[in-house]
Amino acid sequence: MEKQASMDLWKSLYEAVIELKVLEPWKDLWDLDLIGIQEPGWEEPIFCSVMGMQGEGYGIAAYEGTEGLGSLNMILRCEEGIFDSGYMMFEQSALTCYWGSRIEVPEDQLKRIKELGYKFRGKNGWPYFLSFCPRYAPDTPKEEEVRKLTALYLQLTEAVKALREKRVAVNFEKGEFLFRYFDGEQLMWYSAPAKLPYVEMQYPVMKIEDLSLEEKIKEKEKNGAELLLDFVYLGGALHREGEHRPLNPLLFIGYDVPKDMVLAVNPIEPDEKESEMAAAFFMDYIRQFGRPAKVSSRNPWILSALKEICIQCEIEIEARALPEIEQ
């Protein structure tokens, strides 16, 4: 079980956030104008995305290192109009702060706000914090995360001031980010432009290695079906003994379009791999019903895992929106 943050740590975090909100960093930064903070002792920088330039939904999302950047780029793929934004949101690894209304603040954070004596009011006036981790429900940050966020927001405030006062120039449109780091030799903090690394999430590619199995599958007749495969988060919080935080139930769904039939609704355990479940279902389907004419999905795990298998089995595979699954 992760350790809860003390009231003193929460007080420090709220003080840092209050100072940052007064600065209104969204007046200077678009959500893709990233600021990277490198504290002493951190293995990699934490990249901050500031939301609210258009006047709706103020917040800050923090992504740790290259893995975090992969999460951010995964979310950006939703703009392509194919990938499921709900799935991508819950699949990310991030620490976030939002400013919303009182009703949006988790109950445990409301209690802390009251105990600390803060008086937040109105729409976009209440800060609240969420820790995102794949397979788990967004949760209130624990001790180490609260420490990290406090240090992050203090330096983010200084970075925004450096930009606003023109003490540093960053060409965000040319792929730069503002890098704020501590120089151990000079014992000073610096803000400087740096080249932003582009990191994609790495999804597994699966193949049929057994040539005899490949031939047996090719011998199966095509049944003319379009098979839809998807993963769907239910968006709930399931408390289960032994888990360090509440689960966000994730389902694998298989659907036959011509028959208008749901073939599978299978829950996935936190330690199960999406790609292996999708591949196992797909191979079992072929054994029972023959080769579908087409496989469609909006999920990158499924598309990556089955791409080579579909090529081997001479089955079309397509990335598309899935209104049938939504229905």
Side-chain angles (χ1 to χ4, degrees):
M1 185 66 69
E2 293 175 295
K3 188 176 179 181
Q4 299 288 342
S6 67
M7 292 300 288
D8 285 341
L9 287 176
W10 276 105
K11 180 177 175 59
S12 296
L13 177 56
Y14 281 113
E15 292 299 316
V17 159
I18 289 169
E19 181 182 3
L20 184 57
K21 185 170 189 283
V22 169
L23 198 61
E24 297 181 301
W26 38 83
K27 289 186 175 180
D28 302 81
L29 297 160
W30 292 93
D31 56 356
L32 293 183
D33 296 342
L34 301 185
I35 295 180
I37 310 295
Q38 178 78 62
E39 276 272 347
W42 292 359
E43 291 185 9
E44 295 185 277
I46 294 180
F47 296 91
C48 296
S49 169
V50 177
M51 298 166 280
M53 173 68 87
Q54 295 179 327
E56 298 179 3
Y58 301 118
I60 297 166
Y63 301 93
E64 190 164 354
T66 53
E67 181 179 348
L69 282 179
S71 283
L72 176 59
N73 287 327
M74 175 186 68
I75 292 172
L76 294 177
R77 296 191 69 184
C78 297
E79 297 178 1
E80 298 174 17
I82 296 172
F83 300 103
D84 178 20
S85 59
Y87 172 85
M88 296 297 198
M89 180 61 66
F90 289 128
E91 192 70 7
Q92 69 175 321
S93 297
L95 293 172
T96 63
C97 172
Y98 300 104
W99 283 271
S101 60
R102 186 183 187 278
I103 196 172
E104 296 174 89
V105 183
E107 284 296 324
D108 61 327
Q109 295 183 41
L110 278 175
K111 182 179 178 181
R112 290 189 183 93
I113 289 171
K114 183 177 179 180
E115 290 177 1
L116 290 169
Y118 292 112
K119 304 291 184 182
F120 302 117
R121 287 184 173 83
K123 182 182 178 182
N124 298 328
W126 292 77
Y128 63 98
F129 308 90
L130 294 174
S131 171
F132 286 84
C133 179
R135 305 293 184 91
Y136 294 93
D139 200 17
T140 293
K142 300 302 187 290
E143 180 183 61
E144 191 56 38
E145 293 174 322
V146 169
R147 291 183 187 275
K148 193 168 287 186
L149 285 172
T150 303
L152 191 69
Y153 296 152
L154 289 172
Q155 294 307 320
L156 180 58
T157 296
E158 296 304 316
V160 173
K161 287 179 180 178
L163 270 178
R164 189 168 291 176
E165 296 166 7
K166 302 190 185 304
R167 288 184 276 119
V168 61
V170 183
N171 195 332
F172 294 110
E173 294 182 358
K174 294 291 186 180
E176 292 182 344
F177 74 101
L178 174 55
F179 186 32
R180 184 160 174 83
Y181 62 96
F182 185 77
D183 188 317
E185 293 184 359
Q186 299 294 326
L187 300 180
M188 290 182 62
W189 280 93
Y190 290 92
S191 297
K195 186 68 176 176
L196 182 68
Y198 183 78
V199 182
E200 283 275 14
M201 288 286 286
Q202 297 299 310
Y203 300 104
V205 176
M206 307 187 77
K207 295 181 67 175
I208 301 173
E209 302 293 346
D210 187 333
L211 295 179
S212 62
L213 176 60
E214 181 180 344
E215 289 303 317
K216 287 181 182 178
I217 290 175
K218 286 182 178 180
E219 291 172 1
K220 295 281 186 179
E221 292 187 6
K222 283 195 174 182
N223 58 23
E226 180 184 7
L227 192 62
L228 307 187
L229 305 178
D230 198 19
F231 290 109
V232 177
Y233 277 105
L234 297 186
L238 175 64
H239 296 267
R240 192 164 70 181
E241 187 176 351
E243 295 290 349
H244 68 287
R245 62 193 294 172
L247 295 171
N248 185 357
L250 178 64
L251 300 179
F252 171 76
I253 296 178
Y255 177 78
D256 186 314
V257 176
K259 293 182 179 180
D260 189 21
M261 180 183 296
V262 176
L263 304 175
V265 181
N266 301 331
I268 305 175
E269 290 295 317
D271 58 351
E272 287 188 276
K273 295 181 178 179
E274 290 107 317
S275 54
E276 292 180 1
M277 174 170 279
F281 170 85
F282 183 57
M283 298 299 289
D284 189 55
Y285 173 90
I286 292 175
R287 292 188 188 97
Q288 292 188 63
F289 306 108
R291 288 181 294 156
K294 184 178 183 179
V295 174
S296 298
S297 183
R298 60 183 176 179
N299 186 280
W301 289 96
I302 294 172
L303 293 167
S304 178
L306 297 186
K307 180 179 179 180
E308 289 298 322
I309 294 176
C310 284
I311 291 173
Q312 288 177 286
C313 299
E314 299 175 355
I315 299 169
E316 182 183 355
I317 185 167
E318 180 186 17
R320 72 168 177 89
L322 302 180
E324 302 93 338
I325 296 292
E326 290 299 324
Q327 184 179 355

